[in-house]
Amino acid sequence: STKMDLLHSNGVLIIQHLQRDYRAYQDFLNFMSHVGDPRNIFSVYFPLWFQLNQVVGTKMIWVAVIGDWFNLIFKWILFGHRPYWWVQETMIYPNQSSPCLEQFPITCETGPGSPSGHAMGSSCVWYVMVTAALSYTVRWKDKSSVTLHRLTWSFLWSVFWIIQISVCVSRVFIATHFPHQVILGVFAGILVAEAFEHTPAIQTASLRMYIKTNLFLFIFALGFYLVLKLLDIDLLWSVPKAKKWCANPDWINIDTTPFAGLVRNLGALFGLGIGINSEMFILSCKGKNSCKISFRILCIAASLATLQLYNFVKIPTHAEYLFYILSFCKSAAMPLTVVALVPYCVHSLMRTTEKKLN
């Protein structure tokens, strides 16, 4: 439509302005794009928060998974183009003089562009972290503490918006999103996170509930895809565009396809469900050692170190279905490691040490 073309063309002007005038901040903006990567939720934020506060850690996974699932459905409904391929195919520029947008190794996302998954994932998870931190200070009653709470409130929300704006600018700078797509992503993420502030049932969910939720999310997404495919609407229309217009074929990654994100998130939720309902979790995270600061610090350090080792596990990409299966297993192993395996090992180690000292 004419209005959408105008919105896109204005977005291209903003991207050109950023790439021209903010070249000196390229490394920082690329870094912020990595900060907003939804995969950091499982490998960095979750291990830290779960050992500090299991309620917040559990909520974080649910918010990340459901938020990313909604992001996928919105992407399929909105059919949003990405700047780096839109400028090559649009007919609104005279004499085929399309603007030149620079691409980077992290530019060539293969899914639709609206709303931004990075912006949505970043806003929903940081919203959970900020509200969790403020929940501790809101209990302070005396006058000086109320003042401190207000200062903390202002500081944390300022940090929240600085991070969201930085992530949004970085995604626009690398020409993988238009400005309106990142703005939509931020506010969609906040809505999802706020919804889970009023959903306490996830804290007591059984393994059966986790499995039912996984099946529902998968069947709905797959069914939605197949129904539209029967109507001759290809929801993977963005993949060939990405492959055609990406400046470097090596920058195309199967891990950015719509179904790759779905499988990754379903695996994480399944792994969390197994971990929280396991005997190892009950013995370690619900035992007497769970209240010790030393136990939590050891769990955080061991979890972060172990999850970094997972990054060295490269899943073969030559067979798409094999990639999805192995990606599901790897994603399930990460929260299972944080919730059950690492705490149980730390608990066993501390118990052995205590017996020797006695």
Side-chain angles (χ1 to χ4, degrees):
S1 67
T2 305
K3 288 184 178 179
M4 188 57 69
D5 285 339
L6 181 62
L7 189 64
H8 285 161
S9 62
N10 288 334
V12 168
L13 291 176
I14 293 173
I15 295 169
Q16 288 182 304
H17 169 69
L18 289 174
Q19 292 188 343
R20 181 181 66 250
D21 298 336
Y22 289 83
R23 174 65 55 193
Y25 303 100
Q26 176 181 330
D27 291 339
F28 170 75
L29 292 172
N30 284 334
F31 170 74
M32 289 309 299
S33 189
H34 285 294
V35 168
D37 193 329
R39 284 169 289 197
N40 288 331
I41 298 167
F42 308 116
S43 61
V44 180
Y45 304 138
F46 172 65
L48 285 170
W49 273 97
F50 188 81
Q51 303 304 341
L52 295 174
N53 188 316
Q54 292 167 12
V55 172
V56 177
T58 302
K59 185 193 300 181
M60 187 177 291
I61 292 290
W62 277 88
V63 166
V65 170
I66 301 300
D68 210 47
W69 183 82
F70 273 116
N71 181 262
L72 173 64
I73 301 301
F74 289 152
K75 283 180 185 293
W76 280 347
I77 293 173
L78 297 177
F79 285 82
H81 289 270
R82 293 186 185 270
Y84 76 92
W85 75 56
W86 181 82
V87 294
Q88 304 290 344
E89 298 189 344
T90 182
M91 304 298 291
I92 70 168
Y93 296 107
N95 303 321
Q96 297 180 339
S97 56
S98 58
C100 180
L101 299 182
E102 185 176 354
Q103 296 183 24
F104 303 86
I106 56 176
T107 295
C108 299
E109 299 272 352
T110 58
S114 186
S116 166
H118 280 65
M120 191 168 174
S122 175
S123 65
C124 71
V125 169
W126 278 92
Y127 188 93
V128 169
M129 290 193 285
V130 169
T131 53
L134 289 175
S135 67
Y136 290 103
T137 62
V138 76
R139 302 166 191 163
W140 299 340
K141 301 297 183 182
D142 57 276
K143 191 173 182 180
S144 60
S145 296
V146 170
T147 303
L148 182 59
H149 168 70
R150 288 174 180 171
L151 289 172
T152 305
W153 187 94
S154 300
F155 172 75
L156 289 178
W157 283 117
S158 297
V159 170
F160 172 85
W161 284 111
I162 288 171
I163 290 173
Q164 303 321 310
I165 292 171
S166 298
V167 170
C168 289
V169 171
S170 72
R171 301 300 288 172
V172 174
F173 173 84
I174 64 174
T176 200
H177 284 295
F178 291 103
H180 69 277
Q181 295 173 342
V182 292
I183 293 171
L184 178 60
V186 168
F187 287 102
I190 291 174
L191 286 175
V192 171
E194 179 59 29
F196 274 89
E197 292 293 316
H198 312 284
T199 315
I202 59 174
Q203 302 298 334
T204 56
S206 63
L207 179 58
R208 178 175 291 185
M209 183 62 184
Y210 276 92
I211 294 174
K212 285 182 177 179
T213 304
N214 254 23
L215 288 174
F216 170 79
L217 297 178
F218 178 73
I219 292 171
F220 186 96
L222 183 61
F224 187 70
Y225 169 78
L226 293 175
V227 167
L228 290 187
K229 192 169 185 179
L230 288 174
L231 298 175
D232 205 26
I233 300 174
D234 183 14
L235 292 180
L236 299 181
W237 60 272
S238 59
V239 178
K241 288 183 182 292
K243 292 179 178 179
K244 181 178 180 181
W245 297 115
C246 185
N248 186 339
D250 293 335
W251 294 348
I252 295 289
N253 192 340
I254 191 176
D255 203 26
T256 66
T257 59
F259 278 112
L262 175 66
V263 168
R264 182 171 58 246
N265 286 297
L266 294 182
L269 188 63
F270 182 65
L272 177 67
I274 293 177
I276 281 184
N277 290 280
S278 68
E279 192 69 25
M280 287 188 291
F281 170 76
I282 295 171
L283 287 173
S284 54
C285 293
K286 296 296 184 181
K288 62 177 183 178
N289 284 329
S290 62
C291 298
K292 296 179 181 178
I293 295 179
S294 58
F295 173 80
R296 296 187 180 189
I297 292 175
L298 284 172
C299 285
I300 290 173
S303 296
L304 289 173
T306 306
L307 293 186
Q308 296 314 307
L309 293 177
Y310 284 176
N311 293 331
F312 294 102
V313 179
K314 300 301 179 184
I315 300 175
T317 58
H318 60 277
E320 192 170 352
Y321 290 111
L322 177 63
F323 172 83
Y324 291 144
I325 293 171
L326 294 179
S327 181
F328 178 89
C329 295
K330 180 181 176 180
S331 298
M334 295 176 76
L336 181 60
T337 298
V338 174
V339 171
L341 298 178
V342 166
Y344 182 75
C345 291
V346 172
H347 167 74
S348 300
L349 180 64
M350 293 180 70
R351 188 173 59 179
T352 303
T353 305
E354 289 172 358
K355 286 182 179 179
K356 288 182 179 179
L357 292 175
N358 293 331

